[in-house]
Amino acid sequence: MKPVTKMTVVNKPLRKIDSSALSQGKKLYTGDLAPEHSLYVKMLWSPHAHANIKKIDISKAEKMPGVKLVLYHENVPRIPHCTAGQGYPEPSPYDTFMFDKKVRFVGDRVAAVVAETPDQAEEAIKAIEVEYEILKPVFTYDEALADNAPIIHDEPEAFVPIPIPYEPKKNIVAKVGMKAGDFEKGMKEADFTFDELYETPYAQHCPIEGYISWAQIDPYGRIFITTSTQVPFHTRRIVARTLGIPVQKIRVIKPRIGGGFGCKQEMLLEDIVAIAAYRLNKPVLWALTRDEVFRSGRTRHPMRLRIRYGLKKDGTITAIGLDIINNTGAYGGHGLTVMSCAGSKVLPLYHVNNIHFNAISIYTNLPVGGAYRGFGATQAYFPVETMIDVMADKIGMDPMEFRKKNHIRSGEGHPAFEALGEGKPGTPMTIGSCALAECIDKGAKEIDWSKRLPHTEKTSRFRRGIGMSIHMQGSSVPEIDMGSASIKMNDDGSFNLLVGATDLGTGSDTVLAQIAAEELGTTLDKFIVYSSDTDMTPFDVGAYASSTTYLSGEAVRKTAEKVRQQILKVGQEILQKQGFSKKIEELDLHDAHVISLDGSCKVAFGDIANYSLYENNQFQIGAIESHITHKSPPPFTAHFVELEVDIETGHVKVLKYVAAVDCGTAINPQLCEGQTEGGLLNGISYALTEEYRFDEEGKMTNANFMTYNIFSMRDKPEIKTILVPSYEETGPFGAKSVSEVCINGGMPAIANAIYNATGARLKKAPFTQERVWRAIQEVKK
Amino acid sequence: MTTRKISFTLNGEHKEFDVLPNERLLSLLRRNGFKGTKYGCLEGACGTCTVILDGKAVNSCLVFAFQVNGRSVQTVESLGIGEKLHEIQEALVSEGAVQCGYCTPGIVLSAKAMFDENPTPTVDEIKVQIDGNLCRCTGYEKILVAIDKVSKSHNQGGK
Ligand code: FES
Ligand code: FES
């Protein structure tokens, strides 16, 4: 393998191939492509958190102007399914129906109207008469787990397709856990022990393009769905199941996507547009309003985390105990996996021999948890990385030195990798590439860690603080997720690259083409990339679990390698005819030519393509390859933040944020920086402002961008991204993932910096002005 | 439904449209094929739907269609035709400020309205102007760098 420095396409900040067209506002997104005379869907959502539907009368609505169809539980198939876009069979309960006789949260589906215009559909919604039998709702962790708690999923059909603990009668969605060493013994050996409770809020991905899908029937009677999804292949499978029709009947494509961050790893709208289009034989479009995206879309699971540590005076951690209660809301899609990741992506970061990890997911009558960038790890890093500071403080050690002493290194394994999988045991793994130590050093230098003073030396009203945290994530789900690609060569030496992988705005189409171009000795502009069409491209699980570069990227590299061999052979044949007799080993691909290593002869790709298509021994130069991974190598990152706290008001202003990231080889450094910056700002926003607020009935009260605050440009601190290269042997050209890991830092790094500024410890997020102010008052006491 | 005829200058051309009562400019534009104007909230809180109305960046989801009668509207379709991008688009693309790209047309127009008034805004002025354009992908860092680059190039060009 060529060293990274010799590469001509990989590790270069090349332009994202779709960005010019996107900047021109071209018709590239789902909503831009909907047929002109599409019918529109509007949903009647449940106003109640928990209720049985005693009666629905749709007769008035059906007669309203423009109304074509009203769907509700009595006129659609009743097939239990799981909306989470995961591999099959999912480690998740099949607890959802297209429509049910019961509603389980404010924002659950009751009935859908399809009409000629959105206004007509809206009017008809108001004419649907529903009689509810209100049931006692379940909102808190304790209410869900209480004896005699109301049962949220009392329907007999709910089941899990693989043998994992599922106890809907107790509102328990899933349990995961692991033990290593002897936790109790480790706590006894300690000089100091710690036992704290932390809490994280409901939050939302807030892609600027909300959920949107449309479907039409093709001339052969198949359902053609265009949708803003991260998981086209899973969506096809789930829609087929929900409608009770074969997968063959459905085609799913995703055009450009206006952001996802995990919330579109879900089949949320597609079953409705599909069944409506099928019944009406007309195109049907459904787009959620922002209010609906908040209420009825997917969220980040809120968690309550109890963390226990044992610590020796010399800085050895003798035990860690992490007990999590995870609220999945009304449906259990990602309930198990998000907890597995809270363990497997977090526990291995530090050397601890005695481990207790126990997590339980519960149903409540609140919005539904989904996949969200960071996926459980983000929540678990809040207590873990805060407590690392607390412990360092206890023994008077610099928290950076404490981290350096204890963090995982290359060549080491961890029992959590083996214990925690996706509904089955995980995959044992030793860490290959790891530049975490260098990330810490570089980040510390950039923030000027040496100037950090203890909070006891700060007296002014506006107090500055510096904090840090370190993180790892994974790259793909090993032994489960599969990606594939196909490449064919065209007359002029250009290539079609077809991938199942789903570019949701990350730039993965560009990254994958860079990998292919490098392997084939040509340039990025020679690639026509087409991704994620269930009819046209090979399979891929989709964009989640930080898998695209590492998993789908290696599938692309393997495909290109096969094509490379074919090109070399044809090139050899042509050169032979020209009187140059060369062995394959004496040839290479370079600059879109087959060249001889001694420089004596070469033949251009265009000539090779023409020869193979038209002249002699004709065949299509092309290949298809697949890849699964056997490990999930973690990217690592060190985050540093400097901020200022107004101790009179509790206001926190983040001044500077540094992320040093080891993502292996950065296939496209500019895109890696972009992923890092987007992720870390989302993490800061999550730490400081973002949270769902509910009224007593379980209704979200801030379902809009005015009151659910996501960071805007003026909120942005100075951001510094430092890419620290390493080389992951198992990844394409040494690459690992980058997208998720950087969202994990905001909460703990900021909590640690607030402590460093004021001496106040925040254990409940987000750190609103009021919470910070109260925490400061506690310290003053 | 009763419609009403209005006319205005759209991207420099005189146009007539039938508008529905209560219809917003955003809907009028998209309904007539101008899909470059995207949308993210329909309530004036994200800036995705930004267009330039008589020289000012406005959220087209808040403007009633009839309000633009006799006025001048500019959308992203007027900028960077074909291969040649407008300098703002070019800067955003080359700096890697376009991830999902859904917020990009709105940001291009917010920046354009600013540059039309002041070719050399400071970083703080840029931050204020783009503050109404939400982006969830980039963390704004590269957007700011890109727009600042355009401002600096104006400075050097002596404009
Ligand atoms: S769509 Fe107009 S401001 Fe959000
Ligand atoms: S690039 Fe995706 S919202 Fe800005």
Side-chain angles (χ1 to χ4, degrees):
Chain A
M1 178 91 53
K2 270 188 284 195
V4 176
T5 47
K6 289 269 160 60
M7 290 179 187
T8 55
V9 193
V10 155
N11 200 228
K12 297 279 177 283
L14 303 179
R15 282 185 178 216
K16 193 161 154 293
I17 54 180
D18 52 354
S19 55
S20 291
L22 294 172
S23 78
Q24 292 167 308
K26 294 284 170 66
K27 298 173 190 172
L28 288 166
Y29 300 92
T30 301
D32 303 342
L33 300 167
E36 230 172 85
H37 297 293
S38 296
L39 301 170
Y40 294 84
V41 177
K42 282 278 172 187
M43 185 65 70
L44 173 62
W45 305 105
S46 169
H48 303 295
H50 199 191
N52 284 319
I53 296 172
K54 285 173 71 181
K55 221 172 91 193
I56 298 190
D57 186 355
I58 61 166
S59 55
K60 284 194 194 122
E62 279 183 315
K63 294 191 201 89
M64 304 266 295
V67 172
K68 300 289 173 194
L69 184 67
V70 181
L71 297 166
Y72 70 119
H73 67 87
E74 281 176 27
N75 64 12
V76 299
R78 182 180 171 79
I79 299 171
H81 61 273
C82 171
T83 60
Q86 302 171 314
Y88 176 80
E90 300 91 331
S92 301
Y94 283 27
D95 59 3
T96 308
F97 305 89
M98 193 183 294
F99 291 98
D100 202 357
K101 304 189 276 286
K102 190 178 186 189
V103 289
R104 297 179 179 84
F105 70 107
V106 177
D108 208 350
R109 290 178 179 179
V110 176
V113 171
V114 186
E116 281 168 9
T117 71
D119 289 346
Q120 290 170 336
E122 192 74 56
E123 284 306 307
I125 285 290
K126 293 181 198 150
I128 298 173
E129 287 164 14
V130 191
E131 206 180 301
Y132 295 99
E133 175 201 2
I134 311 281
L135 303 169
K136 191 170 177 235
V138 172
F139 293 141
T140 66
Y141 301 105
D142 300 325
E143 283 168 10
L145 293 172
D147 294 337
N148 302 319
I151 301 171
I152 295 170
H153 282 273
D154 50 359
E155 71 278 13
E157 297 97 330
F159 72 104
V160 279
I162 58 171
I164 48 173
Y166 178 53
E167 300 170 68
K169 297 219 159 46
K170 295 184 181 167
N171 292 325
I172 291 174
V173 179
K175 290 179 180 170
V176 245
M178 67 159 289
K179 281 190 188 336
D182 183 337
F183 172 71
E184 302 300 335
K185 191 165 143 266
M187 291 297 273
K188 281 202 195 92
E189 281 168 14
D191 297 321
F192 305 103
T193 60
F194 306 82
D195 187 349
E196 303 276 357
L197 265 190
Y198 283 76
E199 222 175 293
T200 64
Y202 261 107
Q204 231 250 345
H205 318 65
C206 301
I208 305 302
E209 178 205 41
Y211 293 96
I212 179 166
S213 307
W214 57 269
Q216 64 184 358
I217 306 306
D218 81 4
Y220 304 100
R222 294 174 72 230
I223 303 173
F224 178 19
I225 304 171
T226 302
T227 181
S228 183
T229 184
Q230 297 173 225
V231 284
F233 287 90
H234 294 335
T235 295
R236 177 179 65 167
R237 189 191 75 236
I238 300 166
V239 171
R241 176 181 171 89
T242 308
L243 269 61
I245 59 173
V247 160
Q248 187 189 344
K249 276 269 186 195
I250 302 171
R251 175 180 177 190
V252 178
I253 68 162
K254 68 98 215 164
R256 294 293 100 188
I257 302 175
F261 318 107
C263 73
K264 296 174 182 172
Q265 191 195 333
E266 203 84 13
M267 192 289 291
L268 209 68
L269 269 51
E270 293 89 346
D271 57 335
I272 297 295
V273 292
I275 195 168
Y278 192 72
R279 290 199 181 166
L280 297 166
N281 199 16
K282 291 244 168 65
V284 174
L285 168 69
W286 187 14
L288 297 195
T289 63
R290 185 55 55 181
D291 177 273
E292 293 172 322
V293 172
F294 275 114
R295 288 179 207 286
S296 304
R298 293 302 178 250
T299 63
R300 187 188 292 283
H301 297 82
M303 293 187 185
R304 189 165 80 186
L305 312 105
R306 178 186 181 196
I307 187 146
R308 285 175 289 172
Y309 272 111
L311 175 70
K312 276 198 186 302
K313 282 182 193 139
D314 67 358
T316 308
I317 306 170
T318 57
I320 178 170
L322 183 58
D323 291 88
I324 300 177
I325 307 183
N326 175 47
N327 174 6
T328 72
Y331 297 93
H334 298 270
L336 181 142
T337 42
V338 80
M339 294 189 300
S340 289
C341 287
S344 65
K345 312 288 186 226
V346 179
L347 295 171
L349 188 58
Y350 292 103
H351 300 136
V352 192
N353 291 329
N354 303 304
I355 302 165
H356 158 96
F357 173 62
N358 194 15
I360 175 170
S361 268
I362 53 156
Y363 285 127
T364 61
N365 293 114
L366 289 171
V368 184
Y372 190 161
R373 197 175 201 174
F375 203 68
T378 312
Q379 292 95 315
Y381 271 120
F382 174 36
V384 166
E385 276 300 286
T386 311
M387 290 306 295
I388 290 292
D389 256 49
V390 171
M391 289 194 285
D393 208 48
K394 188 85 190 169
I395 55 171
M397 202 180 213
D398 179 322
M400 182 174 74
E401 295 307 324
F402 186 63
R403 287 183 171 89
K404 279 187 177 174
K405 174 179 160 69
N406 287 301
H407 75 68
I408 194 167
R409 287 161 171 77
S410 192
E412 295 173 347
H414 193 277
F417 294 137
E418 195 168 346
L420 302 172
E422 304 245 309
K424 52 183 181 181
T427 310
M429 163 172 90
T430 48
I431 301 294
S433 58
C434 176
L436 181 54
E438 211 181 327
C439 289
I440 295 175
D441 288 342
K442 292 205 158 138
K445 189 157 174 242
E446 178 63 36
I447 204 84
D448 200 359
W449 183 262
S450 57
K451 76 173 180 206
R452 182 174 173 272
L453 297 171
H455 67 85
T456 44
E457 292 183 27
K458 295 168 191 171
T459 51
S460 61
R461 171 174 170 182
F462 296 96
R463 294 186 192 171
R464 290 204 170 186
I466 295 180
M468 73 171 291
S469 62
I470 60 174
H471 309 276
M472 54 179 267
Q473 196 83 29
S475 309
S476 80
V477 184
E479 311 294 350
I480 292 181
D481 289 349
M482 190 273 275
S484 56
S486 79
I487 295 175
K488 79 173 166 63
M489 193 182 207
N490 299 315
D491 309 33
D492 58 353
S494 67
F495 297 90
N496 291 98
L497 169 63
L498 273 65
V499 290
T502 304
D503 189 334
L504 67 152
T506 53
S508 68
D509 283 357
T510 305
V511 163
L512 296 175
Q514 282 182 261
I515 290 170
E518 185 67 49
E519 186 70 36
L520 287 169
T522 184
T523 45
L524 177 61
D525 61 343
K526 290 288 182 286
F527 282 82
I528 306 153
V529 186
Y530 186 61
S531 57
S532 301
D533 175 334
T534 60
D535 267 12
M536 301 294 174
T537 68
F539 180 86
D540 192 288
V541 288
Y544 59 87
S546 283
S547 64
T548 305
T549 302
Y550 180 71
L551 166 72
S552 313
E554 183 60 12
V556 167
R557 202 202 55 76
K558 281 159 76 175
T559 312
E561 194 181 349
K562 271 192 168 174
V563 172
R564 176 188 175 87
Q565 292 310 320
Q566 296 171 13
I567 294 173
L568 282 169
K569 270 194 115 165
V570 177
Q572 181 190 37
E573 200 174 308
I574 296 172
L575 291 172
Q576 184 78 44
K577 289 201 169 162
Q578 294 173 356
F580 300 99
S581 175
K582 296 286 176 194
K583 295 204 193 89
I584 291 285
E585 307 80 68
E586 293 168 333
L587 299 172
D588 194 8
L589 303 190
H590 183 70
D591 216 1
H593 285 75
V594 170
I595 58 159
S596 70
L597 292 170
D598 61 13
S600 61
C601 55
K602 64 177 184 178
V603 50
F605 277 11
D607 296 333
I608 289 172
N610 270 316
Y611 183 90
S612 74
L613 291 171
Y614 302 113
E615 286 174 30
N616 235 316
N617 296 324
Q618 290 91 326
F619 78 108
Q620 170 67 60
I621 293 179
I624 179 164
E625 258 297 343
S626 314
H627 189 61
I628 58 166
T629 66
H630 305 297
K631 62 193 285 195
S632 180
F636 293 93
T637 191
H639 287 197
F640 293 83
V641 61
E642 178 165 21
L643 49 73
E644 188 174 79
V645 184
D646 178 349
I647 62 156
E648 305 276 297
T649 65
H651 179 75
V652 175
K653 185 171 170 52
V654 179
L655 304 169
K656 180 168 180 173
Y657 199 101
V658 179
V661 196
D662 158 21
C663 60
T665 301
I667 302 290
N668 185 318
Q670 192 182 57
L671 293 177
C672 289
E673 286 168 13
Q675 284 298 308
T676 302
E677 288 155 8
L680 73 83
L681 196 76
N682 190 335
I684 298 173
S685 188
Y686 173 57
L688 289 177
T689 72
E690 295 185 31
E691 96 184 293
Y692 275 38
R693 294 196 290 270
F694 298 101
D695 67 12
E696 275 136 45
E697 323 272 78
K699 184 175 180 204
M700 187 187 183
T701 56
N702 58 334
N704 56 63
F705 282 144
M706 276 82 81
T707 52
Y708 182 97
N709 266 314
I710 69 173
F711 265 37
S712 59
M713 190 179 264
R714 267 195 290 179
D715 302 320
K716 179 190 81 67
E718 180 190 347
I719 295 176
K720 177 81 186 164
T721 304
I722 306 168
L723 299 179
V724 181
S726 71
Y727 195 93
E728 174 55 41
E729 292 294 337
T730 61
F733 300 106
K736 301 186 280 193
S737 79
V738 69
S739 60
E740 287 189 274
V741 71
C742 282
I743 203 168
N744 297 328
M747 225 173 246
I750 289 175
N752 291 336
I754 292 174
Y755 175 79
N756 179 245
T758 65
R761 276 279 169 215
L762 276 300
K763 293 177 201 160
K764 191 175 161 109
F767 316 137
T768 54
Q769 199 164 324
E770 185 187 332
R771 282 197 189 117
V772 175
W773 184 82
R774 282 186 196 288
I776 293 169
Q777 302 317 303
E778 283 299 308
V779 182
K780 280 189 185 163
K781 274 185 199 163
Chain B
M1 212 176 288
T2 47
T3 58
R4 170 181 160 188
K5 230 181 219 357
I6 62 164
S7 66
F8 60 93
T9 308
L10 178 57
N11 299 331
E13 276 177 51
H14 181 82
K15 295 261 186 186
E16 287 193 355
F17 293 106
D18 290 326
V19 306
L20 304 163
N22 287 334
E23 183 166 29
R24 307 296 170 117
L25 177 57
L26 169 70
S27 149
L28 178 75
L29 290 169
R30 288 188 61 87
R31 202 162 55 75
N32 285 286
F34 292 84
K35 306 254 163 129
T37 311
K38 318 294 180 194
Y39 56 94
C41 71
L42 306 181
E43 52 195 6
C46 72
T48 314
C49 64
T50 302
V51 300
I52 299 177
L53 175 61
D54 289 343
K56 292 264 182 264
V58 297
N59 291 326
S60 63
C61 70
L62 290 185
V63 176
F64 285 106
F66 70 79
Q67 287 178 296
V68 305
N69 195 20
R71 299 169 76 181
S72 169
V73 174
Q74 189 177 12
T75 69
V76 74
E77 279 85 0
S78 67
L79 299 173
I81 319 290
E83 302 263 292
K84 179 110 181 71
L85 298 178
H86 183 274
E87 60 176 352
I88 301 168
Q89 293 165 325
E90 174 61 30
L92 289 166
V93 168
S94 66
E95 289 302 316
V98 182
Q99 283 192 32
C100 82
Y102 198 74
C103 67
T104 311
I107 287 174
V108 168
L109 289 163
S110 283
K112 171 88 169 46
M114 169 179 64
F115 284 127
D116 286 349
E117 265 187 23
N118 172 10
T120 55
T122 63
V123 166
D124 283 338
E125 286 168 338
I126 296 170
K127 282 187 181 174
V128 170
Q129 174 74 7
I130 307 298
D131 199 55
N133 293 84
L134 294 181
C135 171
R136 194 61 152 171
C137 299
T138 62
Y140 305 104
E141 184 65 23
K142 296 196 184 308
I143 296 173
L144 183 61
V145 169
I147 298 176
D148 185 43
K149 191 169 93 171
V150 176
S151 176
K152 292 217 169 84
S153 77
H154 291 168
N155 222 341
Q156 276 155 15
K159 270 194 236 175

